Amino acid sequence: MTHRALSPSEIYPAGVADVDTRFLQLPTGIGVRVAERGPEHGEPVIMLHGWGASVYMWRHAFALLPAYGIRAIGVDLRGYGLSDKPRHRGAYSLDQYIADLEALYAALGLQRATLVGHSMGGALALRFALRHPERVRRLVLINPAGLVPLVYPLLLRAMPRVFTQLVRESFVPRSLIAVILRRLAYGNASLVTERDIDEYWAPTQLPGFVHAAAAALHEFNWRPVSAEQAASLAPPAMVILGQNDRLIRKAGPRAERLHGAQVLRFDGGHSVHEERPAEVYGRLGPFIR
């Protein structure tokens, strides 16, 4: 069966009622896509996805969190989804992502917000909370990078750059996305739907994606925070861990070092919030509210 990649006008949240999207041009020079659902004056929650992903991974959050009076705000980080994909050296450093997040606060008219981050987005949320504790009301980290040393960025970094040049931006195979979701991201492969594969595959076909993904592996700060930094965390925090996470392993002890953090474990993989949305958001919603 031949699959056709979804066009930008067809990808999530196309056709989903009450999820609004808009594009914001940030002072950092980057245009980002933002998706929102929930009461206008509800508790603002900014959700930051992981490496290679997009706002699609927050589809369950948009469906479930507004019932708690939450204004759920998802953003395609630079390089991903429908946001801009700059090509200059250093464009995917931690400092650049933090500058985008500061600019996003301003664009949304927010002084404080709760941050929810998954994987790479979790590392970004944690580093932002350490730098700007006054801007973060609460912090939720889902299988976050930034707690333990990671193997997969190092392995992918070790690939010759010519490899990523050979993987043309329009030839990231759908089968590769299927393998990543079923073998790495999800603990239970049977939960991955064909639509999930299509939604994750479609943005990889856009110009600049391969460069952005490779550059982030090289330029982003994947190192764990120090024990001193973990002990200095100010906002109340919740860490959600999938017990079958194949990418970020044995993060529990490090998560427990985060000052004042609740650490919850669920039966699931790296994308535990996509596998077990009712349980995860059933705990996350009251914590935020």
Side-chain angles (χ1 to χ4, degrees):
M1 179 179 179
T2 301
H3 290 269
R4 175 185 65 83
L6 300 173
S7 69
S9 64
E10 294 173 312
I11 68 173
Y12 181 88
V16 179
D18 300 329
V19 179
D20 299 320
T21 59
R22 53 178 165 153
F23 287 84
L24 299 175
Q25 189 66 35
L26 303 180
T28 54
I30 299 297
V32 296
R33 181 180 68 145
V34 173
E36 298 182 56
R37 183 172 185 263
E40 181 181 356
H41 300 293
E43 174 64 28
V45 175
I46 299 175
M47 303 179 296
L48 309 172
H49 62 73
W51 180 80
S54 69
V55 297
Y56 179 71
M57 75 155 34
W58 303 118
R59 60 198 179 279
H60 302 298
F62 288 120
L64 298 173
L65 289 183
Y68 295 95
I70 289 170
R71 176 188 172 195
I73 305 165
V75 57
D76 285 340
L77 298 174
R78 65 164 63 200
Y80 302 112
L82 298 185
S83 292
D84 287 350
K85 301 166 179 61
R87 290 182 174 269
H88 60 274
R89 186 177 296 276
Y92 298 94
S93 69
L94 173 65
D95 286 343
Q96 290 295 325
Y97 278 109
I98 286 181
D100 283 349
L101 187 50
E102 291 172 340
L104 181 62
Y105 267 73
L108 295 171
L110 301 176
Q111 291 298 317
R112 298 178 75 214
T114 291
L115 292 182
V116 177
H118 172 255
S119 195
M120 175 183 165
L124 171 58
L126 175 57
R127 298 281 185 173
F128 187 90
L130 290 170
R131 289 194 193 184
H132 303 291
E134 75 285 354
R135 307 297 303 275
V136 181
R137 180 176 177 272
R138 290 180 181 268
L139 179 67
V140 178
L141 307 175
I142 304 174
N143 288 328
L147 293 182
V148 295
L150 302 184
V151 174
Y152 71 92
L154 297 177
L155 291 176
L156 292 171
R157 281 183 190 176
M159 291 182 181
R161 288 184 179 271
V162 68
F163 176 81
T164 59
Q165 294 170 359
L166 290 173
V167 182
R168 301 283 181 186
E169 284 141 356
S170 59
F171 288 97
V172 176
R174 185 179 184 276
S175 58
L176 176 61
I177 303 303
V179 168
I180 290 172
L181 290 175
R182 289 174 173 150
R183 301 291 179 86
L184 294 176
Y186 277 55
N188 183 349
S190 69
L191 296 176
V192 178
T193 68
E194 293 300 309
R195 183 67 184 194
D196 294 335
I197 298 170
D198 284 341
E199 290 281 1
Y200 274 97
W201 180 47
T204 72
Q205 304 302 285
L206 300 175
F209 173 86
V210 169
H211 171 84
L217 288 173
H218 286 268
E219 296 175 359
F220 189 78
N221 182 1
W222 298 94
R223 295 187 298 275
V225 298
S226 68
E228 292 76 17
Q229 289 173 312
S232 72
L233 183 67
M238 174 180 283
V239 183
I240 294 172
L241 301 175
Q243 297 187 103
N244 303 311
D245 190 343
R246 299 183 180 97
L247 295 175
I248 297 179
R249 299 170 180 266
K250 301 178 180 179
R254 294 289 184 92
E256 289 167 356
R257 294 181 188 177
L258 294 172
H259 179 257
Q262 302 178 42
V263 181
L264 305 180
R265 295 168 174 83
F266 292 88
D267 182 17
H270 190 59
S271 294
V272 64
H273 58 306
E274 296 181 85
E275 294 182 77
R276 310 187 74 85
E279 295 99 315
V280 169
Y281 291 112
R283 297 298 297 273
L284 191 156
F287 171 73
I288 294 172
R289 185 179 62 182

